[in-house]
Amino acid sequence: KRLDSHSSGSGGGGGGGFAVAIDQSGSVWGVFRQNGNFSISKSNPSGVFVSSTALPNVREDGHIRIVFDGLGSAYVVGSAASSNSTGNDLAVYKVSTDTVVLLASATYSNNTYNLNEIPFAASTDTAGNIWIAGIIQTGGTVDFNGNVTLASALWKVDMSPFPGVLSQPTTIYHGAG
């Protein structure tokens, strides 16, 4: 298969691409939805499909990013359903860049408000920490029906204590919106 809209995400019940990134080897990674289920796929630098794996509980909010660390892992950052909260939680999925296997996943909820955490951008630093910028819903209804209040947020998922292990993120900034 080649990486295109016919083989990786469209047709047969609807779907589409939500994120794309190129790793250090030139391989192309994409997050796609097919029939309501999300997966991450890898294609070689020529666009030939290599493998894919499912991403459980991803929410279709359109704010999904793919980032890479220097240790051979890809990370998908987005929003996911969680049994711990009422809204969308910040979610991080760790995937092996060699085998395209889901290695770990975690959801993070702001326990103060327990509403929605929505990422907009993500990156890794030279230590492999994941930095995520987004918003936290601080008031209103979970479904955004009516007036809501939001706050800016910057999260750091610190990988230094245990490289490659997902840890609870630290909210660096939480300002009124």
Side-chain angles (χ1 to χ4, degrees), residues 24-116:
Q24 292 176 337
S25 71
S27 293
V28 181
W29 292 77
V31 174
F32 298 93
R33 180 183 57 85
Q34 182 74 35
N35 298 321
N37 298 311
F38 283 81
S39 63
I40 184 169
S41 69
K42 176 183 177 181
S43 296
N44 71 18
S46 299
V48 177
F49 176 80
V50 174
S51 187
S52 67
T53 192
L55 299 171
N57 300 319
V58 171
R59 291 275 175 100
E60 184 178 344
D61 67 7
H63 303 290
I64 299 171
R65 303 293 181 259
I66 304 168
V67 296
F68 305 95
D69 66 15
L71 302 173
S73 295
Y75 296 90
V76 176
V77 176
S79 295
S82 170
S83 61
N84 298 329
S85 72
T86 57
N88 292 325
D89 286 345
L90 175 66
V92 178
Y93 299 86
K94 179 182 176 184
V95 178
S96 167
T97 53
D98 292 330
T99 60
V100 194
V101 170
L102 182 63
L103 300 173
S105 66
T107 58
Y108 308 105
S109 178
N110 181 310
N111 294 328
T112 302
Y113 302 105
N114 201 26
L115 294 168
N116 289 295

Side-chain angles (χ1 to χ4, degrees), residues 103-167:
L103 300 173
S105 66
T107 58
Y108 308 105
S109 178
N110 181 310
N111 294 328
T112 302
Y113 302 105
N114 201 26
L115 294 168
N116 289 295
E117 293 82 31
I118 301 173
F120 290 119
S123 188
T124 55
D125 61 22
T126 56
N129 300 311
I130 304 168
W131 291 87
I132 305 162
I135 59 171
I136 297 171
Q137 182 184 355
T138 58
T141 61
V142 155
D143 62 3
F144 290 102
N145 188 12
N147 293 331
V148 298
T149 55
L150 305 170
S152 300
L154 178 63
W155 294 277
K156 176 186 178 187
V157 181
D158 188 354
M159 304 300 259
S160 60
F162 307 101
V165 175
L166 295 175
S167 62

